[in-house]
């Protein structure tokens, strides 16, 4: 920005262009994953991130809600956390541009005993988290493409995500979930 959107791939570019057909500025450039190749080549400095304790580590990547709080963090996520084995660790990572989301999620989880972690990993680089996670869950975040580059499967749980990633879901690159059941 301000002239171009750098996107990971053609599907992201097409989704952005659908927001406003015929736009003259903020057009998309498909540029790929330059940070991932730098990560893989060990160009990043800093401490190595330690995997949280847990038989399975599931990352929930959030984003600002489009429809409302239920789209943002639905009951089925709470059900999935509650029904999962105690040995699983759920990391809830708020979107950096939606700080209010953390408060809303905490309110929804206030009665959940649990094996979830919030706040602790919000400042940890995304690729550090993806390098230790077993699974990614999101409503519609493009983090699903980055997770794929780390061989981390993604489940999409929102109707918006199902529309955006319909091709990927159809090709079984991502999974669409309608409930919090395994």
């Amino acid at each position: 920005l301000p002239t171009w959107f750098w996107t990971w791939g053609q599907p992201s570019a097409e989704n952005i262009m659908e927001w406003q057909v015929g736009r003259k500025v903020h057009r998309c450039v498909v540029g790929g994953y330059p940070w991932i190749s730098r990560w893989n080549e060990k160009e990043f400095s800093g401490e190595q991130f330690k995997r949280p304790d847990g038989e399975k580590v599931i990352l929930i990547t959030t984003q600002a809600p489009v429809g409302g709080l239920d789209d943002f963090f639905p009951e089925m996520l709470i059900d999935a956390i509650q029904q999962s084995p105690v040995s699983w660790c759920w990391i809830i990572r708020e979107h950096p541009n939606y700080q209010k989301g953390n408060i809303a999620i905490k309110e929804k989880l206030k009665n959940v005993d649990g094996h979830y972690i919030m706040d602790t990993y919000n400042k940890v680089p995304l690729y550090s988290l993806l390098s230790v996670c077993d699974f990614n869950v999101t409503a519609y975040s493009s983090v699903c493409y980055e997770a794929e580059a780390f061989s981390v499967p993604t489940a999409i749980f929102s109707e918006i995500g199902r529309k955006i990633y319909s091709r990927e879901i159809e090709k079984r690159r991502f999974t669409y979930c309608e409930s919090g059941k395994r």
Side-chain angles (χ1 to χ4, degrees):
L1 288 173
T3 307
W4 302 96
F5 277 107
W6 182 284
T7 63
W8 301 131
Q10 193 61 38
S12 292
E14 290 170 7
N15 291 331
I16 290 170
M17 294 308 292
E18 285 178 13
W19 299 344
Q20 182 184 9
V21 177
R23 69 172 67 209
K24 303 292 185 225
V25 296
H26 300 148
R27 301 210 35 97
C28 295
V29 172
V30 178
Y33 296 77
W35 288 107
I36 289 178
S37 61
R38 290 188 67 201
W39 173 270
N40 290 337
E41 293 167 10
K42 311 285 188 236
E43 289 184 39
F44 290 103
S45 60
E47 295 179 24
Q48 186 67 354
F49 176 68
K50 184 180 178 284
R51 177 184 165 99
D53 289 336
E55 178 187 341
K56 297 279 185 206
V57 177
I58 301 100
L59 176 64
I60 300 175
T61 49
T62 66
Q63 57 281 318
V66 170
L69 189 54
D70 286 335
D71 285 345
F72 171 67
F73 205 86
E75 289 297 318
M76 77 166 145
L77 282 182
I78 296 166
D79 292 344
I81 292 169
Q82 287 180 311
Q83 294 172 18
S84 67
V86 178
S87 60
W88 290 14
C89 175
W90 294 77
I91 298 173
I92 302 166
R93 187 170 193 264
E94 74 180 61
H95 192 283
N97 293 327
Y98 190 63
Q99 302 295 320
K100 294 187 305 185
N102 211 11
I103 296 165
I105 292 170
K106 284 179 182 174
E107 181 62 26
K108 289 190 103 174
L109 290 171
K110 70 181 176 186
N111 296 319
V112 175
D113 289 335
H115 32 284
Y116 66 90
I117 301 170
M118 287 188 67
D119 300 325
T120 306
Y121 298 118
N122 283 332
K123 302 273 188 241
V124 173
L126 176 62
Y127 295 171
S128 294
L129 288 174
L130 289 172
S131 71
V132 300
C133 287
D134 298 299
F135 208 80
N136 176 52
V137 179
T138 188
Y140 54 86
S141 174
S142 63
V143 168
C144 55
Y145 292 119
E146 294 165 293
E148 186 177 41
F150 282 83
S151 299
V152 175
T154 293
I156 308 288
F157 62 78
S158 74
E159 186 60 32
I160 294 166
R162 185 168 80 159
K163 289 176 185 171
I164 291 172
Y165 303 112
S166 62
R167 288 178 293 236
E168 289 84 350
I169 292 168
E170 186 177 312
K171 293 178 182 177
R172 300 183 186 265
R173 286 176 64 186
F174 308 139
T175 303
Y176 177 69
C177 297
E178 297 182 78
S179 76
K181 295 184 173 140
R182 291 191 252 171

